[in-house]
Amino acid sequence: MLPLRFIREHEALVRERLATRGDEIPLDELLSLDSQRRRLLTKVEGLRAARKQVSRGIGSASGAEREALIARTRQLTSELGDQEPELDRIQQEVDRLLLEIPMLPHASAPAGDADHPGLVHYCSGTPSPDSRTPPHDEIARNLGILDFARASKVAGSGFWIFRGAGAQLQRALLQWMLDFQVQEHGYREMYLPALVAASAMANAAKLPKFADDSYAVDNGRQWLSPTAEVALSEYHAGETLDAAMLPARYVAYAAAFRREAGAAGVETRGLRRVRQFDKIELFNVTAPEDSYSALERMRSEAEAVIRRLGLTYRVREVPTGDLGFAAAKQYDLEVWSPGAGEWLEVSSVSNCEAFQTRRAGVRMRRPGSARTEYAHSLNGTALGLPRTFVALLENGIQEDGSVAIPPVLQPYMSGRARIETEPQWP
């Protein structure tokens, strides 16, 4: 989160940067309550100091003077009894509002609202819609590798079941992408819980902002993880890391759960928007001065996956009005879907600076220094499924209806070079 003192002392800068996000942000309410809190805190501290001073005199006083001091102590205690609960109430409200203030966009992030196209940082090709390419769900249905109807019986709308070569391709993608990041880029692999604590959700800046988009269990004490970022950002919570050991670089597979499928105005056909999906998450903890070079490195690591899969893609610098809540700067990586004739986001790489680490209390100490400071955290998807699956089907479709498998995945597919129509089972 943003420090309250920073907001107060740099109000003009905060207003200017947050205005580019375009959201309704309760900054006025926060600053007004903070002013009330400080005035009331001064009053309460004065009452506490006065009561302490009066109480010291009771032991050495006698007679009428003692009685007067006792009466004064009771009066001050009564006044504190009125003021302290109000101070606690205002403090809780200030703390709540602080959780609703997003990260300041970095000065280099392109300014614009959510409909702004952003800045295309790189594009590997200039594709155009191809009316001859069927959509992915038609391809998968013809191959017999995807079942929505039975999935709806099992779990309801917004879920899917891969079968046969479809399940194998999904598994191959996940295994290869993990291996690639560990072997090529030196990441440490992690396996994470599917449930995360409410405190972890708040520290990762998913609560309260995205409560309606997530699945709560156990009366809100735990949540189905909406992204591996939550567990990874909480992994070092409350720790002080040795700066000489940074960056810490983790990669994890995790299933993600979100309610967004079926929302009004959202494209829900096939695998485009589902309530459960798999992805490979990259997460870095760095020293502050290294976080923006780490952002560029993580972007290139995600790009490398797309290139190895042979997909046409572009890298978009996300405009301030579309930044993630915790992100100061963000890249979206999008692959071309010839069946839909549009770009599909398969990766988002963000520098959150100290926004999450301040919430989680992740600090670092430099060699030879007694002082600690907040580390920076970055997250990125490399890559998200099933949109990558969508692009592989639509870009790999052959004239006979089979789908070519990228060479890097073939060793994970028992050497198969194509997915052909599955035998019909009951």
Short mmCIF file of all heavy atoms in Angstrom, two decimals, residues 365-412:
data_model
loop_
_atom_site.label_atom_id
_atom_site.label_comp_id
_atom_site.label_asym_id
_atom_site.label_seq_id
_atom_site.Cartn_x
_atom_site.Cartn_y
_atom_site.Cartn_z
N ARG A 365 17.96 -6.11 4.17
CA ARG A 365 19.05 -5.42 4.87
C ARG A 365 20.31 -5.57 4.02
O ARG A 365 20.71 -6.66 3.64
CB ARG A 365 19.28 -6.00 6.26
CG ARG A 365 20.42 -5.30 7.02
CD ARG A 365 20.64 -5.90 8.40
NE ARG A 365 19.58 -5.56 9.33
CZ ARG A 365 18.69 -6.44 9.79
NH1 ARG A 365 18.74 -7.71 9.38
NH2 ARG A 365 17.76 -6.06 10.64
N ARG A 366 20.92 -4.42 3.74
CA ARG A 366 22.14 -4.44 2.92
C ARG A 366 23.34 -4.85 3.78
O ARG A 366 23.34 -4.59 4.99
CB ARG A 366 22.37 -3.07 2.30
CG ARG A 366 21.22 -2.65 1.37
CD ARG A 366 21.46 -1.28 0.78
NE ARG A 366 20.28 -0.80 0.07
CZ ARG A 366 19.98 -1.11 -1.19
NH1 ARG A 366 20.80 -1.90 -1.87
NH2 ARG A 366 18.88 -0.64 -1.76
N PRO A 367 24.34 -5.48 3.18
CA PRO A 367 25.53 -5.90 3.93
C PRO A 367 26.17 -4.73 4.67
O PRO A 367 26.37 -3.64 4.10
CB PRO A 367 26.46 -6.45 2.85
CG PRO A 367 25.54 -6.89 1.75
CD PRO A 367 24.42 -5.90 1.76
N GLY A 368 26.47 -4.93 5.94
CA GLY A 368 27.13 -3.91 6.75
C GLY A 368 26.22 -2.83 7.26
O GLY A 368 26.69 -1.88 7.91
N SER A 369 24.92 -2.93 7.03
CA SER A 369 23.97 -1.90 7.48
C SER A 369 23.02 -2.47 8.51
O SER A 369 22.59 -3.63 8.40
CB SER A 369 23.17 -1.35 6.29
OG SER A 369 22.16 -0.45 6.74
N ALA A 370 22.69 -1.67 9.50
CA ALA A 370 21.70 -2.08 10.49
C ALA A 370 20.29 -1.68 10.06
O ALA A 370 19.29 -2.15 10.62
CB ALA A 370 22.03 -1.45 11.85
N ARG A 371 20.20 -0.81 9.07
CA ARG A 371 18.91 -0.30 8.63
C ARG A 371 18.25 -1.28 7.66
O ARG A 371 18.92 -1.92 6.85
CB ARG A 371 19.09 1.06 7.94
CG ARG A 371 17.80 1.77 7.60
CD ARG A 371 18.10 3.14 7.02
NE ARG A 371 18.73 3.04 5.71
CZ ARG A 371 18.04 2.98 4.56
NH1 ARG A 371 16.72 2.97 4.57
NH2 ARG A 371 18.69 2.91 3.41
N THR A 372 16.94 -1.41 7.76
CA THR A 372 16.20 -2.23 6.82
C THR A 372 15.33 -1.34 5.93
O THR A 372 15.04 -0.19 6.28
CB THR A 372 15.30 -3.25 7.54
OG1 THR A 372 14.28 -2.55 8.28
CG2 THR A 372 16.11 -4.12 8.48
N GLU A 373 14.94 -1.88 4.79
CA GLU A 373 14.04 -1.17 3.88
C GLU A 373 13.19 -2.19 3.16
O GLU A 373 13.50 -3.39 3.15
CB GLU A 373 14.84 -0.34 2.87
CG GLU A 373 15.82 -1.15 2.03
CD GLU A 373 16.75 -0.28 1.22
OE1 GLU A 373 16.26 0.36 0.28
OE2 GLU A 373 17.97 -0.27 1.54
N TYR A 374 12.09 -1.72 2.59
CA TYR A 374 11.21 -2.64 1.88
C TYR A 374 11.82 -3.06 0.54
O TYR A 374 12.34 -2.24 -0.20
CB TYR A 374 9.84 -2.00 1.64
CG TYR A 374 9.04 -1.83 2.90
CD1 TYR A 374 8.83 -0.57 3.46
CD2 TYR A 374 8.50 -2.94 3.56
CE1 TYR A 374 8.10 -0.41 4.61
CE2 TYR A 374 7.77 -2.79 4.73
CZ TYR A 374 7.58 -1.52 5.25
OH TYR A 374 6.86 -1.37 6.41
N ALA A 375 11.74 -4.37 0.27
CA ALA A 375 12.15 -4.89 -1.03
C ALA A 375 11.06 -4.56 -2.04
O ALA A 375 9.98 -4.06 -1.69
CB ALA A 375 12.36 -6.39 -0.93
N HIS A 376 11.32 -4.82 -3.31
CA HIS A 376 10.32 -4.67 -4.36
C HIS A 376 9.89 -6.06 -4.84
O HIS A 376 10.67 -7.02 -4.79
CB HIS A 376 10.88 -3.88 -5.54
CG HIS A 376 10.88 -2.40 -5.32
ND1 HIS A 376 11.11 -1.49 -6.33
CD2 HIS A 376 10.66 -1.67 -4.19
CE1 HIS A 376 11.04 -0.25 -5.84
NE2 HIS A 376 10.79 -0.34 -4.56
N SER A 377 8.64 -6.16 -5.30
CA SER A 377 8.14 -7.42 -5.83
C SER A 377 7.61 -7.24 -7.24
O SER A 377 7.07 -6.18 -7.59
CB SER A 377 7.04 -8.00 -4.93
OG SER A 377 5.87 -7.20 -4.97
N LEU A 378 7.79 -8.27 -8.05
CA LEU A 378 7.32 -8.28 -9.44
C LEU A 378 6.67 -9.63 -9.72
O LEU A 378 7.08 -10.65 -9.16
CB LEU A 378 8.46 -8.07 -10.42
CG LEU A 378 9.33 -6.82 -10.26
CD1 LEU A 378 10.57 -7.12 -9.41
CD2 LEU A 378 9.76 -6.27 -11.63
N ASN A 379 5.66 -9.62 -10.56
CA ASN A 379 5.01 -10.86 -10.93
C ASN A 379 4.74 -10.89 -12.42
O ASN A 379 4.60 -9.85 -13.06
CB ASN A 379 3.71 -11.05 -10.15
CG ASN A 379 2.69 -9.97 -10.47
OD1 ASN A 379 1.99 -10.05 -11.48
ND2 ASN A 379 2.59 -8.97 -9.61
N GLY A 380 4.69 -12.09 -12.98
CA GLY A 380 4.41 -12.22 -14.40
C GLY A 380 3.93 -13.62 -14.73
O GLY A 380 4.31 -14.59 -14.08
N THR A 381 3.07 -13.72 -15.72
CA THR A 381 2.55 -15.01 -16.16
C THR A 381 3.35 -15.48 -17.37
O THR A 381 3.59 -14.71 -18.29
CB THR A 381 1.07 -14.88 -16.57
OG1 THR A 381 0.37 -14.16 -15.57
CG2 THR A 381 0.44 -16.24 -16.75
N ALA A 382 3.75 -16.75 -17.36
CA ALA A 382 4.58 -17.24 -18.47
C ALA A 382 4.32 -18.73 -18.75
O ALA A 382 5.19 -19.55 -18.52
CB ALA A 382 6.06 -17.02 -18.15
N LEU A 383 3.19 -19.12 -19.20
CA LEU A 383 2.10 -18.29 -19.71
C LEU A 383 0.80 -18.72 -19.05
O LEU A 383 0.76 -19.69 -18.29
CB LEU A 383 1.95 -18.47 -21.22
CG LEU A 383 3.16 -18.09 -22.08
CD1 LEU A 383 2.95 -18.57 -23.51
CD2 LEU A 383 3.44 -16.60 -22.06
N GLY A 384 -0.28 -18.02 -19.42
CA GLY A 384 -1.60 -18.38 -18.93
C GLY A 384 -2.30 -19.33 -19.88
O GLY A 384 -2.26 -19.19 -21.09
N LEU A 385 -2.92 -20.35 -19.31
CA LEU A 385 -3.77 -21.26 -20.06
C LEU A 385 -5.20 -21.04 -19.57
O LEU A 385 -5.40 -20.65 -18.44
CB LEU A 385 -3.35 -22.72 -19.80
CG LEU A 385 -1.91 -23.05 -20.20
CD1 LEU A 385 -1.51 -24.40 -19.62
CD2 LEU A 385 -1.78 -23.07 -21.69
N PRO A 386 -6.20 -21.21 -20.38
CA PRO A 386 -6.15 -21.91 -21.66
C PRO A 386 -6.07 -21.04 -22.90
O PRO A 386 -6.24 -21.54 -24.01
CB PRO A 386 -7.47 -22.68 -21.65
CG PRO A 386 -8.39 -21.82 -20.87
CD PRO A 386 -7.56 -21.12 -19.83
N ARG A 387 -5.83 -19.72 -22.78
CA ARG A 387 -5.75 -18.91 -24.01
C ARG A 387 -4.57 -19.32 -24.87
O ARG A 387 -4.64 -19.22 -26.11
CB ARG A 387 -5.68 -17.42 -23.65
CG ARG A 387 -6.99 -16.89 -23.09
CD ARG A 387 -6.89 -15.43 -22.80
NE ARG A 387 -8.06 -14.97 -22.09
CZ ARG A 387 -8.16 -13.78 -21.50
NH1 ARG A 387 -7.13 -12.94 -21.55
NH2 ARG A 387 -9.26 -13.43 -20.87
N THR A 388 -3.48 -19.76 -24.25
CA THR A 388 -2.36 -20.29 -25.04
C THR A 388 -2.82 -21.52 -25.81
O THR A 388 -2.45 -21.72 -26.98
CB THR A 388 -1.17 -20.63 -24.14
OG1 THR A 388 -0.77 -19.45 -23.41
CG2 THR A 388 0.00 -21.15 -24.94
N PHE A 389 -3.62 -22.34 -25.15
CA PHE A 389 -4.20 -23.54 -25.79
C PHE A 389 -5.04 -23.13 -26.99
O PHE A 389 -4.96 -23.74 -28.06
CB PHE A 389 -5.04 -24.28 -24.75
CG PHE A 389 -5.40 -25.69 -25.12
CD1 PHE A 389 -4.72 -26.77 -24.56
CD2 PHE A 389 -6.42 -25.97 -26.01
CE1 PHE A 389 -5.06 -28.08 -24.88
CE2 PHE A 389 -6.77 -27.26 -26.35
CZ PHE A 389 -6.08 -28.32 -25.79
N VAL A 390 -5.85 -22.08 -26.83
CA VAL A 390 -6.68 -21.56 -27.92
C VAL A 390 -5.82 -21.20 -29.12
O VAL A 390 -6.11 -21.58 -30.26
CB VAL A 390 -7.48 -20.32 -27.45
CG1 VAL A 390 -8.13 -19.60 -28.63
CG2 VAL A 390 -8.53 -20.71 -26.42
N ALA A 391 -4.74 -20.44 -28.86
CA ALA A 391 -3.88 -19.99 -29.96
C ALA A 391 -3.19 -21.16 -30.63
O ALA A 391 -3.01 -21.17 -31.87
CB ALA A 391 -2.84 -19.00 -29.42
N LEU A 392 -2.79 -22.17 -29.86
CA LEU A 392 -2.13 -23.34 -30.47
C LEU A 392 -3.08 -24.08 -31.39
O LEU A 392 -2.68 -24.53 -32.48
CB LEU A 392 -1.62 -24.27 -29.37
CG LEU A 392 -0.40 -23.79 -28.58
CD1 LEU A 392 -0.07 -24.78 -27.47
CD2 LEU A 392 0.80 -23.62 -29.51
N LEU A 393 -4.35 -24.24 -31.00
CA LEU A 393 -5.32 -24.92 -31.85
C LEU A 393 -5.55 -24.15 -33.14
O LEU A 393 -5.52 -24.70 -34.24
CB LEU A 393 -6.64 -25.12 -31.12
CG LEU A 393 -6.67 -26.09 -29.94
CD1 LEU A 393 -8.09 -26.22 -29.40
CD2 LEU A 393 -6.15 -27.47 -30.33
N GLU A 394 -5.79 -22.84 -33.01
CA GLU A 394 -6.17 -22.04 -34.18
C GLU A 394 -4.99 -21.79 -35.12
O GLU A 394 -5.18 -21.68 -36.34
CB GLU A 394 -6.78 -20.72 -33.72
CG GLU A 394 -8.11 -20.91 -33.01
CD GLU A 394 -8.76 -19.62 -32.59
OE1 GLU A 394 -8.16 -18.53 -32.79
OE2 GLU A 394 -9.88 -19.68 -32.05
N ASN A 395 -3.80 -21.68 -34.58
CA ASN A 395 -2.63 -21.47 -35.42
C ASN A 395 -2.06 -22.78 -35.97
O ASN A 395 -1.34 -22.78 -36.97
CB ASN A 395 -1.54 -20.72 -34.66
CG ASN A 395 -1.87 -19.25 -34.49
OD1 ASN A 395 -1.66 -18.44 -35.39
ND2 ASN A 395 -2.40 -18.88 -33.32
N GLY A 396 -2.39 -23.89 -35.30
CA GLY A 396 -1.85 -25.19 -35.72
C GLY A 396 -2.78 -26.02 -36.57
O GLY A 396 -2.41 -27.12 -37.00
N ILE A 397 -4.00 -25.52 -36.86
CA ILE A 397 -4.97 -26.31 -37.61
C ILE A 397 -4.46 -26.62 -39.02
O ILE A 397 -3.90 -25.74 -39.71
CB ILE A 397 -6.34 -25.58 -37.67
CG1 ILE A 397 -7.41 -26.44 -38.33
CG2 ILE A 397 -6.19 -24.22 -38.34
CD1 ILE A 397 -7.87 -27.58 -37.50
N GLN A 398 -4.62 -27.86 -39.43
CA GLN A 398 -4.19 -28.31 -40.75
C GLN A 398 -5.41 -28.52 -41.65
O GLN A 398 -6.55 -28.55 -41.19
CB GLN A 398 -3.40 -29.62 -40.62
CG GLN A 398 -2.24 -29.55 -39.64
CD GLN A 398 -1.16 -28.59 -40.09
OE1 GLN A 398 -0.60 -28.75 -41.17
NE2 GLN A 398 -0.86 -27.59 -39.26
N GLU A 399 -5.17 -28.69 -42.93
CA GLU A 399 -6.26 -28.84 -43.87
C GLU A 399 -7.14 -30.05 -43.57
O GLU A 399 -8.34 -30.04 -43.85
CB GLU A 399 -5.72 -28.94 -45.31
CG GLU A 399 -5.14 -27.63 -45.82
CD GLU A 399 -4.75 -27.72 -47.29
OE1 GLU A 399 -4.99 -28.79 -47.90
OE2 GLU A 399 -4.22 -26.72 -47.82
N ASP A 400 -6.55 -31.10 -43.01
CA ASP A 400 -7.34 -32.30 -42.71
C ASP A 400 -8.03 -32.23 -41.35
O ASP A 400 -8.65 -33.20 -40.92
CB ASP A 400 -6.46 -33.54 -42.78
CG ASP A 400 -5.33 -33.54 -41.74
OD1 ASP A 400 -5.22 -32.54 -40.98
OD2 ASP A 400 -4.56 -34.51 -41.70
N GLY A 401 -7.93 -31.07 -40.65
CA GLY A 401 -8.58 -30.90 -39.35
C GLY A 401 -7.72 -31.27 -38.17
O GLY A 401 -8.11 -31.02 -37.02
N SER A 402 -6.57 -31.87 -38.42
CA SER A 402 -5.65 -32.17 -37.32
C SER A 402 -4.94 -30.88 -36.89
O SER A 402 -5.03 -29.85 -37.56
CB SER A 402 -4.64 -33.23 -37.73
OG SER A 402 -3.79 -32.73 -38.75
N VAL A 403 -4.25 -30.94 -35.75
CA VAL A 403 -3.54 -29.77 -35.22
C VAL A 403 -2.07 -30.13 -35.03
O VAL A 403 -1.75 -31.13 -34.35
CB VAL A 403 -4.15 -29.29 -33.90
CG1 VAL A 403 -3.27 -28.21 -33.24
CG2 VAL A 403 -5.56 -28.72 -34.14
N ALA A 404 -1.18 -29.33 -35.63
CA ALA A 404 0.26 -29.56 -35.47
C ALA A 404 0.70 -29.17 -34.07
O ALA A 404 0.28 -28.14 -33.53
CB ALA A 404 1.03 -28.75 -36.50
N ILE A 405 1.55 -29.99 -33.49
CA ILE A 405 2.10 -29.74 -32.16
C ILE A 405 3.46 -29.08 -32.30
O ILE A 405 4.31 -29.58 -33.04
CB ILE A 405 2.22 -31.06 -31.37
CG1 ILE A 405 0.85 -31.73 -31.21
CG2 ILE A 405 2.86 -30.82 -30.01
CD1 ILE A 405 0.92 -33.14 -30.66
N PRO A 406 3.71 -27.95 -31.63
CA PRO A 406 5.03 -27.31 -31.72
C PRO A 406 6.14 -28.29 -31.35
O PRO A 406 5.98 -29.12 -30.43
CB PRO A 406 4.93 -26.17 -30.71
CG PRO A 406 3.47 -25.86 -30.62
CD PRO A 406 2.78 -27.19 -30.78
N PRO A 407 7.27 -28.22 -32.03
CA PRO A 407 8.37 -29.16 -31.76
C PRO A 407 8.79 -29.23 -30.30
O PRO A 407 9.13 -30.32 -29.81
CB PRO A 407 9.50 -28.63 -32.65
CG PRO A 407 8.79 -27.97 -33.79
CD PRO A 407 7.57 -27.35 -33.19
N VAL A 408 8.78 -28.10 -29.58
CA VAL A 408 9.23 -28.13 -28.18
C VAL A 408 8.32 -28.97 -27.30
O VAL A 408 8.74 -29.44 -26.23
CB VAL A 408 9.35 -26.70 -27.59
CG1 VAL A 408 10.46 -25.92 -28.27
CG2 VAL A 408 8.02 -25.95 -27.66
N LEU A 409 7.06 -29.15 -27.72
CA LEU A 409 6.12 -29.92 -26.91
C LEU A 409 6.08 -31.39 -27.28
O LEU A 409 5.56 -32.21 -26.51
CB LEU A 409 4.70 -29.33 -27.04
CG LEU A 409 4.50 -27.89 -26.56
CD1 LEU A 409 3.05 -27.48 -26.77
CD2 LEU A 409 4.88 -27.75 -25.09
N GLN A 410 6.60 -31.73 -28.43
CA GLN A 410 6.47 -33.11 -28.90
C GLN A 410 7.11 -34.14 -27.96
O GLN A 410 6.53 -35.21 -27.74
CB GLN A 410 7.03 -33.23 -30.32
CG GLN A 410 6.19 -32.50 -31.34
CD GLN A 410 6.78 -32.50 -32.74
OE1 GLN A 410 7.68 -33.30 -33.04
NE2 GLN A 410 6.29 -31.62 -33.61
N PRO A 411 8.28 -33.85 -27.35
CA PRO A 411 8.82 -34.83 -26.39
C PRO A 411 7.90 -35.05 -25.18
O PRO A 411 7.96 -36.11 -24.54
CB PRO A 411 10.15 -34.19 -25.96
CG PRO A 411 10.52 -33.29 -27.09
CD PRO A 411 9.23 -32.75 -27.60
N TYR A 412 7.07 -34.06 -24.86
CA TYR A 412 6.14 -34.17 -23.74
C TYR A 412 4.81 -34.79 -24.18
O TYR A 412 3.92 -34.99 -23.36
CB TYR A 412 5.87 -32.80 -23.14
CG TYR A 412 7.10 -32.15 -22.52
CD1 TYR A 412 8.00 -31.44 -23.30
CD2 TYR A 412 7.35 -32.27 -21.15
CE1 TYR A 412 9.13 -30.85 -22.73
CE2 TYR A 412 8.47 -31.69 -20.58
CZ TYR A 412 9.36 -30.98 -21.38
OH TYR A 412 10.48 -30.40 -20.82
#
